Amino acid sequence: MNAAVQFVHEQLSSKKEFPNFKAGDNITVNYKIVEGGKERIQSFRGDVLKTQGTGATATFTVRKISDGIGVERIFPFYSPNIDSVQLNKVGKVRRAKLFYLRERSGKSARIKEKRF
């Protein structure tokens, strides 16, 4: 009985396979937008400020600069509207939450890329 319940739960809450990313990484999130009756995919490219939560309520926050204005967006990991996530750059940071980037602009807001 328990295995059947777990199977149904896995079918309903299907987590897409994302690349492993953390705070400081630069990612592109492609998500579905419904406008009227039409559905299209829009991409949001920026740096990950934080990941938060566990299980079904886990989210990640992405920040980008658009026309000189900082834009942050919070995405749930389990959202059915997220089409895909691409990892562009792996950042070299020393903390898990990068809120200090909100006060910075220009060169000081850059994150160094990790070399492998």
Side-chain angles (χ1 to χ4, degrees):
M1 177 63 193
N2 195 10
V5 171
Q6 193 167 357
F7 175 75
V8 170
H9 181 70
E10 285 171 6
Q11 294 298 316
L12 291 175
S13 65
S14 61
K15 184 183 181 197
K16 294 193 177 71
E17 287 300 311
F18 295 144
N20 284 334
F21 59 86
K22 60 185 190 339
D25 295 352
N26 188 286
I27 62 172
T28 304
V29 183
N30 297 311
Y31 59 96
K32 295 182 197 125
I33 287 186
V34 178
E35 291 174 334
K38 288 187 220 147
E39 199 177 78
R40 65 185 178 86
I41 290 179
Q42 184 172 343
S43 61
F44 190 94
R45 178 176 177 159
D47 296 319
V48 179
L49 285 194
K50 65 175 178 173
T51 59
Q52 173 182 334
T54 56
T57 59
T59 61
F60 59 98
T61 303
V62 182
R63 178 179 174 86
K64 74 171 181 178
I65 306 294
S66 177
D67 293 329
I69 297 169
V71 179
E72 287 182 19
R73 185 148 180 184
I74 300 169
F75 297 99
F77 274 103
Y78 287 91
S79 171
N81 294 329
I82 293 182
D83 187 57
S84 64
V85 175
Q86 286 131 18
L87 182 64
N88 303 322
K89 291 180 186 170
V90 178
K92 183 182 174 191
V93 292
R94 290 160 66 174
R95 57 191 65 234
K97 308 258 193 287
L98 306 178
F99 298 134
Y100 67 89
L101 290 176
R102 292 173 177 164
E103 281 81 50
R104 303 205 177 182
S105 64
K107 269 194 179 181
S108 68
R110 277 202 219 144
I111 297 173
K112 279 190 179 157
E113 189 174 356
K114 188 181 266 187
R115 297 272 175 215
F116 293 107

Tab-separated table of all heavy atoms in Angstrom, residues 17-64:
chain	number	residue	atom	x	y	z
A	17	GLU	N	14.622	17.573	-14.211
A	17	GLU	CA	16.049	17.426	-13.946
A	17	GLU	C	16.750	18.736	-14.271
A	17	GLU	O	16.872	19.101	-15.438
A	17	GLU	CB	16.631	16.277	-14.779
A	17	GLU	CG	16.223	14.903	-14.298
A	17	GLU	CD	16.661	14.637	-12.871
A	17	GLU	OE1	17.839	14.880	-12.548
A	17	GLU	OE2	15.827	14.193	-12.069
A	18	PHE	N	17.172	19.454	-13.239
A	18	PHE	CA	17.915	20.687	-13.420
A	18	PHE	C	19.396	20.396	-13.211
A	18	PHE	O	19.748	19.481	-12.488
A	18	PHE	CB	17.479	21.747	-12.394
A	18	PHE	CG	16.054	22.192	-12.545
A	18	PHE	CD1	15.301	22.497	-11.431
A	18	PHE	CD2	15.465	22.315	-13.788
A	18	PHE	CE1	13.990	22.913	-11.566
A	18	PHE	CE2	14.159	22.734	-13.927
A	18	PHE	CZ	13.423	23.030	-12.809
A	19	PRO	N	20.280	21.204	-13.826
A	19	PRO	CA	21.693	21.081	-13.456
A	19	PRO	C	21.873	21.533	-12.019
A	19	PRO	O	21.067	22.304	-11.494
A	19	PRO	CB	22.397	22.038	-14.431
A	19	PRO	CG	21.339	22.982	-14.870
A	19	PRO	CD	20.052	22.211	-14.852
A	20	ASN	N	22.900	21.019	-11.360
A	20	ASN	CA	23.161	21.430	-9.981
A	20	ASN	C	23.716	22.836	-9.992
A	20	ASN	O	24.800	23.082	-10.510
A	20	ASN	CB	24.161	20.474	-9.314
A	20	ASN	CG	23.504	19.173	-8.927
A	20	ASN	OD1	22.305	19.120	-8.706
A	20	ASN	ND2	24.288	18.112	-8.867
A	21	PHE	N	22.977	23.783	-9.426
A	21	PHE	CA	23.463	25.154	-9.338
A	21	PHE	C	23.330	25.631	-7.907
A	21	PHE	O	22.568	25.079	-7.115
A	21	PHE	CB	22.716	26.080	-10.302
A	21	PHE	CG	21.235	26.147	-10.096
A	21	PHE	CD1	20.677	27.027	-9.181
A	21	PHE	CD2	20.389	25.328	-10.823
A	21	PHE	CE1	19.314	27.095	-8.989
A	21	PHE	CE2	19.015	25.398	-10.648
A	21	PHE	CZ	18.489	26.280	-9.723
A	22	LYS	N	24.114	26.656	-7.577
A	22	LYS	CA	24.111	27.213	-6.231
A	22	LYS	C	24.224	28.714	-6.335
A	22	LYS	O	24.234	29.266	-7.434
A	22	LYS	CB	25.272	26.625	-5.425
A	22	LYS	CG	26.632	26.908	-6.034
A	22	LYS	CD	27.719	26.215	-5.271
A	22	LYS	CE	29.108	26.638	-5.669
A	22	LYS	NZ	29.309	27.238	-6.956
A	23	ALA	N	24.285	29.392	-5.206
A	23	ALA	CA	24.394	30.848	-5.198
A	23	ALA	C	25.674	31.268	-5.904
A	23	ALA	O	26.724	30.658	-5.721
A	23	ALA	CB	24.383	31.369	-3.769
A	24	GLY	N	25.582	32.298	-6.730
A	24	GLY	CA	26.734	32.796	-7.471
A	24	GLY	C	26.793	32.311	-8.904
A	24	GLY	O	27.500	32.892	-9.715
A	25	ASP	N	26.057	31.266	-9.220
A	25	ASP	CA	26.060	30.752	-10.586
A	25	ASP	C	25.170	31.620	-11.474
A	25	ASP	O	24.195	32.205	-11.015
A	25	ASP	CB	25.550	29.314	-10.627
A	25	ASP	CG	26.479	28.356	-9.899
A	25	ASP	OD1	27.569	28.789	-9.502
A	25	ASP	OD2	26.106	27.187	-9.717
A	26	ASN	N	25.522	31.682	-12.757
A	26	ASN	CA	24.718	32.411	-13.728
A	26	ASN	C	23.895	31.388	-14.498
A	26	ASN	O	24.451	30.476	-15.106
A	26	ASN	CB	25.623	33.214	-14.667
A	26	ASN	CG	24.836	34.126	-15.564
A	26	ASN	OD1	24.198	33.680	-16.503
A	26	ASN	ND2	24.882	35.414	-15.280
A	27	ILE	N	22.562	31.531	-14.443
A	27	ILE	CA	21.693	30.554	-15.086
A	27	ILE	C	20.672	31.262	-15.967
A	27	ILE	O	20.443	32.460	-15.828
A	27	ILE	CB	20.950	29.667	-14.059
A	27	ILE	CG1	20.029	30.497	-13.170
A	27	ILE	CG2	21.906	28.846	-13.234
A	27	ILE	CD1	19.135	29.663	-12.268
A	28	THR	N	20.099	30.504	-16.897
A	28	THR	CA	18.983	30.960	-17.711
A	28	THR	C	17.787	30.085	-17.387
A	28	THR	O	17.861	28.867	-17.527
A	28	THR	CB	19.301	30.861	-19.208
A	28	THR	OG1	20.495	31.589	-19.476
A	28	THR	CG2	18.168	31.439	-20.035
A	29	VAL	N	16.710	30.714	-16.926
A	29	VAL	CA	15.480	29.995	-16.605
A	29	VAL	C	14.481	30.268	-17.724
A	29	VAL	O	14.138	31.411	-17.985
A	29	VAL	CB	14.893	30.465	-15.253
A	29	VAL	CG1	13.655	29.660	-14.908
A	29	VAL	CG2	15.925	30.357	-14.145
A	30	ASN	N	14.047	29.224	-18.405
A	30	ASN	CA	13.022	29.342	-19.432
A	30	ASN	C	11.695	28.933	-18.813
A	30	ASN	O	11.545	27.792	-18.369
A	30	ASN	CB	13.334	28.444	-20.631
A	30	ASN	CG	14.626	28.854	-21.300
A	30	ASN	OD1	14.837	30.017	-21.589
A	30	ASN	ND2	15.495	27.888	-21.543
A	31	TYR	N	10.750	29.868	-18.758
A	31	TYR	CA	9.487	29.569	-18.109
A	31	TYR	C	8.325	29.980	-19.007
A	31	TYR	O	8.447	30.857	-19.859
A	31	TYR	CB	9.385	30.254	-16.742
A	31	TYR	CG	9.508	31.745	-16.775
A	31	TYR	CD1	8.382	32.548	-16.798
A	31	TYR	CD2	10.751	32.361	-16.798
A	31	TYR	CE1	8.493	33.922	-16.841
A	31	TYR	CE2	10.873	33.729	-16.847
A	31	TYR	CZ	9.735	34.502	-16.867
A	31	TYR	OH	9.854	35.866	-16.919
A	32	LYS	N	7.205	29.307	-18.801
A	32	LYS	CA	6.025	29.519	-19.632
A	32	LYS	C	5.238	30.708	-19.121
A	32	LYS	O	5.030	30.864	-17.928
A	32	LYS	CB	5.134	28.280	-19.610
A	32	LYS	CG	5.741	27.064	-20.228
A	32	LYS	CD	4.779	25.901	-20.199
A	32	LYS	CE	5.528	24.606	-20.438
A	32	LYS	NZ	5.319	23.620	-19.385
A	33	ILE	N	4.772	31.540	-20.044
A	33	ILE	CA	3.924	32.685	-19.717
A	33	ILE	C	2.632	32.532	-20.494
A	33	ILE	O	2.666	32.271	-21.698
A	33	ILE	CB	4.624	34.004	-20.081
A	33	ILE	CG1	5.735	34.274	-19.087
A	33	ILE	CG2	3.641	35.148	-20.122
A	33	ILE	CD1	6.376	35.610	-19.265
A	34	VAL	N	1.503	32.668	-19.807
A	34	VAL	CA	0.198	32.574	-20.453
A	34	VAL	C	-0.344	33.984	-20.608
A	34	VAL	O	-0.521	34.706	-19.634
A	34	VAL	CB	-0.768	31.709	-19.627
A	34	VAL	CG1	-2.131	31.667	-20.288
A	34	VAL	CG2	-0.220	30.311	-19.457
A	35	GLU	N	-0.558	34.394	-21.857
A	35	GLU	CA	-1.135	35.705	-22.146
A	35	GLU	C	-2.422	35.471	-22.919
A	35	GLU	O	-2.384	35.062	-24.082
A	35	GLU	CB	-0.173	36.560	-22.963
A	35	GLU	CG	1.056	36.996	-22.189
A	35	GLU	CD	2.058	37.710	-23.062
A	35	GLU	OE1	2.074	37.461	-24.289
A	35	GLU	OE2	2.838	38.507	-22.530
A	36	GLY	N	-3.534	35.719	-22.266
A	36	GLY	CA	-4.809	35.418	-22.901
A	36	GLY	C	-4.937	33.917	-23.069
A	36	GLY	O	-4.871	33.170	-22.106
A	37	GLY	N	-5.111	33.463	-24.292
A	37	GLY	CA	-5.179	32.033	-24.556
A	37	GLY	C	-3.864	31.477	-25.060
A	37	GLY	O	-3.721	30.273	-25.231
A	38	LYS	N	-2.894	32.373	-25.300
A	38	LYS	CA	-1.620	31.934	-25.877
A	38	LYS	C	-0.615	31.627	-24.779
A	38	LYS	O	-0.625	32.223	-23.713
A	38	LYS	CB	-1.054	33.013	-26.795
A	38	LYS	CG	-1.815	33.166	-28.082
A	38	LYS	CD	-1.090	34.131	-29.010
A	38	LYS	CE	-2.108	35.013	-29.705
A	38	LYS	NZ	-1.629	36.344	-29.965
A	39	GLU	N	0.276	30.715	-25.091
A	39	GLU	CA	1.333	30.340	-24.156
A	39	GLU	C	2.662	30.480	-24.873
A	39	GLU	O	2.806	30.030	-26.006
A	39	GLU	CB	1.121	28.884	-23.719
A	39	GLU	CG	1.827	28.514	-22.457
A	39	GLU	CD	1.519	27.090	-22.045
A	39	GLU	OE1	2.116	26.166	-22.648
A	39	GLU	OE2	0.696	26.881	-21.139
A	40	ARG	N	3.616	31.131	-24.218
A	40	ARG	CA	4.941	31.270	-24.821
A	40	ARG	C	5.988	31.064	-23.753
A	40	ARG	O	5.691	31.075	-22.565
A	40	ARG	CB	5.106	32.644	-25.478
A	40	ARG	CG	5.076	33.802	-24.524
A	40	ARG	CD	5.126	35.126	-25.275
A	40	ARG	NE	5.052	36.243	-24.345
A	40	ARG	CZ	6.101	36.785	-23.725
A	40	ARG	NH1	7.309	36.309	-23.940
A	40	ARG	NH2	5.962	37.798	-22.891
A	41	ILE	N	7.232	30.886	-24.204
A	41	ILE	CA	8.340	30.648	-23.282
A	41	ILE	C	9.234	31.879	-23.276
A	41	ILE	O	9.647	32.359	-24.333
A	41	ILE	CB	9.121	29.392	-23.693
A	41	ILE	CG1	8.254	28.163	-23.434
A	41	ILE	CG2	10.423	29.293	-22.921
A	41	ILE	CD1	8.892	26.867	-23.819
A	42	GLN	N	9.481	32.401	-22.073
A	42	GLN	CA	10.345	33.569	-21.909
A	42	GLN	C	11.543	33.152	-21.071
A	42	GLN	O	11.423	32.351	-20.151
A	42	GLN	CB	9.571	34.682	-21.201
A	42	GLN	CG	10.356	35.962	-21.069
A	42	GLN	CD	9.485	37.092	-20.542
A	42	GLN	OE1	8.264	37.011	-20.580
A	42	GLN	NE2	10.109	38.119	-20.035
A	43	SER	N	12.704	33.700	-21.388
A	43	SER	CA	13.903	33.334	-20.639
A	43	SER	C	14.314	34.469	-19.717
A	43	SER	O	14.128	35.649	-20.028
A	43	SER	CB	15.049	32.971	-21.586
A	43	SER	OG	15.371	34.073	-22.393
A	44	PHE	N	14.849	34.095	-18.563
A	44	PHE	CA	15.289	35.041	-17.534
A	44	PHE	C	16.700	34.624	-17.171
A	44	PHE	O	16.904	33.575	-16.562
A	44	PHE	CB	14.352	34.959	-16.322
A	44	PHE	CG	14.562	36.039	-15.294
A	44	PHE	CD1	13.800	37.192	-15.334
A	44	PHE	CD2	15.500	35.902	-14.291
A	44	PHE	CE1	13.965	38.184	-14.386
A	44	PHE	CE2	15.683	36.893	-13.346
A	44	PHE	CZ	14.914	38.032	-13.392
A	45	ARG	N	17.701	35.436	-17.576
A	45	ARG	CA	19.092	35.083	-17.326
A	45	ARG	C	19.664	35.997	-16.256
A	45	ARG	O	19.564	37.214	-16.358
A	45	ARG	CB	19.920	35.227	-18.601
A	45	ARG	CG	21.378	34.906	-18.361
A	45	ARG	CD	22.199	34.955	-19.630
A	45	ARG	NE	23.599	34.710	-19.296
A	45	ARG	CZ	24.506	34.306	-20.150
A	45	ARG	NH1	24.171	34.123	-21.397
A	45	ARG	NH2	25.739	34.106	-19.772
A	46	GLY	N	20.253	35.394	-15.230
A	46	GLY	CA	20.831	36.192	-14.165
A	46	GLY	C	21.602	35.328	-13.187
A	46	GLY	O	21.783	34.127	-13.393
A	47	ASP	N	22.045	35.962	-12.107
A	47	ASP	CA	22.825	35.278	-11.083
A	47	ASP	C	21.902	34.765	-9.988
A	47	ASP	O	20.947	35.440	-9.606
A	47	ASP	CB	23.848	36.231	-10.466
A	47	ASP	CG	24.874	36.701	-11.484
A	47	ASP	OD1	25.312	35.873	-12.286
A	47	ASP	OD2	25.220	37.893	-11.472
A	48	VAL	N	22.214	33.577	-9.477
A	48	VAL	CA	21.433	33.002	-8.386
A	48	VAL	C	21.865	33.677	-7.086
A	48	VAL	O	23.038	33.653	-6.723
A	48	VAL	CB	21.656	31.484	-8.296
A	48	VAL	CG1	20.853	30.886	-7.149
A	48	VAL	CG2	21.280	30.814	-9.599
A	49	LEU	N	20.915	34.335	-6.394
A	49	LEU	CA	21.215	34.955	-5.100
A	49	LEU	C	21.158	33.935	-3.981
A	49	LEU	O	21.961	33.979	-3.061
A	49	LEU	CB	20.219	36.075	-4.791
A	49	LEU	CG	20.351	37.386	-5.514
A	49	LEU	CD1	19.508	38.437	-4.810
A	49	LEU	CD2	21.783	37.847	-5.572
A	50	LYS	N	20.157	33.050	-4.028
A	50	LYS	CA	20.015	32.067	-2.961
A	50	LYS	C	19.141	30.925	-3.420
A	50	LYS	O	18.343	31.071	-4.349
A	50	LYS	CB	19.387	32.704	-1.718
A	50	LYS	CG	17.963	33.183	-1.928
A	50	LYS	CD	17.354	33.688	-0.645
A	50	LYS	CE	15.961	34.211	-0.876
A	50	LYS	NZ	15.273	34.562	0.353
A	51	THR	N	19.299	29.787	-2.774
A	51	THR	CA	18.336	28.698	-2.846
A	51	THR	C	17.812	28.522	-1.433
A	51	THR	O	18.522	28.774	-0.462
A	51	THR	CB	18.971	27.390	-3.344
A	51	THR	OG1	20.024	27.026	-2.463
A	51	THR	CG2	19.505	27.530	-4.747
A	52	GLN	N	16.560	28.093	-1.315
A	52	GLN	CA	15.906	28.126	-0.014
A	52	GLN	C	14.874	27.024	0.071
A	52	GLN	O	14.212	26.720	-0.916
A	52	GLN	CB	15.241	29.497	0.137
A	52	GLN	CG	14.376	29.682	1.337
A	52	GLN	CD	13.755	31.075	1.315
A	52	GLN	OE1	14.302	31.996	0.728
A	52	GLN	NE2	12.611	31.198	1.924
A	53	GLY	N	14.717	26.429	1.241
A	53	GLY	CA	13.656	25.463	1.492
A	53	GLY	C	14.029	24.065	1.043
A	53	GLY	O	15.035	23.833	0.382
A	54	THR	N	13.167	23.133	1.426
A	54	THR	CA	13.350	21.735	1.040
A	54	THR	C	12.012	21.194	0.568
A	54	THR	O	10.958	21.732	0.902
A	54	THR	CB	13.838	20.877	2.223
A	54	THR	OG1	12.910	21.028	3.297
A	54	THR	CG2	15.222	21.278	2.669
A	55	GLY	N	12.072	20.133	-0.200
A	55	GLY	CA	10.850	19.476	-0.636
A	55	GLY	C	10.068	20.315	-1.628
A	55	GLY	O	10.633	21.017	-2.466
A	56	ALA	N	8.747	20.268	-1.493
A	56	ALA	CA	7.868	20.893	-2.468
A	56	ALA	C	7.915	22.411	-2.405
A	56	ALA	O	7.536	23.080	-3.362
A	56	ALA	CB	6.436	20.421	-2.267
A	57	THR	N	8.380	22.995	-1.291
A	57	THR	CA	8.380	24.447	-1.149
A	57	THR	C	9.742	25.072	-1.472
A	57	THR	O	9.933	26.262	-1.239
A	57	THR	CB	7.978	24.851	0.271
A	57	THR	OG1	8.904	24.269	1.186
A	57	THR	CG2	6.572	24.386	0.583
A	58	ALA	N	10.669	24.297	-2.006
A	58	ALA	CA	12.005	24.821	-2.297
A	58	ALA	C	11.944	25.844	-3.425
A	58	ALA	O	11.239	25.656	-4.418
A	58	ALA	CB	12.942	23.683	-2.676
A	59	THR	N	12.671	26.958	-3.257
A	59	THR	CA	12.705	28.012	-4.263
A	59	THR	C	14.134	28.467	-4.495
A	59	THR	O	15.026	28.191	-3.686
A	59	THR	CB	11.871	29.242	-3.823
A	59	THR	OG1	12.428	29.768	-2.628
A	59	THR	CG2	10.423	28.889	-3.611
A	60	PHE	N	14.331	29.183	-5.597
A	60	PHE	CA	15.611	29.851	-5.840
A	60	PHE	C	15.329	31.232	-6.396
A	60	PHE	O	14.339	31.461	-7.079
A	60	PHE	CB	16.527	29.037	-6.766
A	60	PHE	CG	15.961	28.734	-8.130
A	60	PHE	CD1	16.310	29.510	-9.227
A	60	PHE	CD2	15.109	27.665	-8.324
A	60	PHE	CE1	15.806	29.231	-10.484
A	60	PHE	CE2	14.597	27.377	-9.583
A	60	PHE	CZ	14.951	28.163	-10.664
A	61	THR	N	16.206	32.188	-6.053
A	61	THR	CA	16.038	33.583	-6.443
A	61	THR	C	17.115	33.936	-7.456
A	61	THR	O	18.290	33.666	-7.232
A	61	THR	CB	16.153	34.506	-5.216
A	61	THR	OG1	15.189	34.105	-4.253
A	61	THR	CG2	15.894	35.949	-5.602
A	62	VAL	N	16.692	34.552	-8.573
A	62	VAL	CA	17.608	34.946	-9.647
A	62	VAL	C	17.527	36.455	-9.803
A	62	VAL	O	16.438	37.030	-9.791
A	62	VAL	CB	17.241	34.235	-10.967
A	62	VAL	CG1	18.225	34.596	-12.067
A	62	VAL	CG2	17.199	32.738	-10.774
A	63	ARG	N	18.686	37.108	-9.928
A	63	ARG	CA	18.751	38.558	-10.066
A	63	ARG	C	19.452	38.913	-11.358
A	63	ARG	O	20.479	38.336	-11.700
A	63	ARG	CB	19.513	39.159	-8.888
A	63	ARG	CG	19.677	40.671	-8.972
A	63	ARG	CD	20.434	41.188	-7.746
A	63	ARG	NE	20.728	42.596	-7.850
A	63	ARG	CZ	19.915	43.577	-7.493
A	63	ARG	NH1	18.721	43.276	-7.003
A	63	ARG	NH2	20.260	44.826	-7.614
A	64	LYS	N	18.881	39.891	-12.086
A	64	LYS	CA	19.532	40.402	-13.287
A	64	LYS	C	19.369	41.912	-13.309
A	64	LYS	O	18.532	42.474	-12.597
A	64	LYS	CB	18.938	39.781	-14.548
A	64	LYS	CG	17.564	40.289	-14.918
A	64	LYS	CD	17.156	39.772	-16.286
A	64	LYS	CE	15.793	40.294	-16.677
A	64	LYS	NZ	15.395	39.850	-18.013
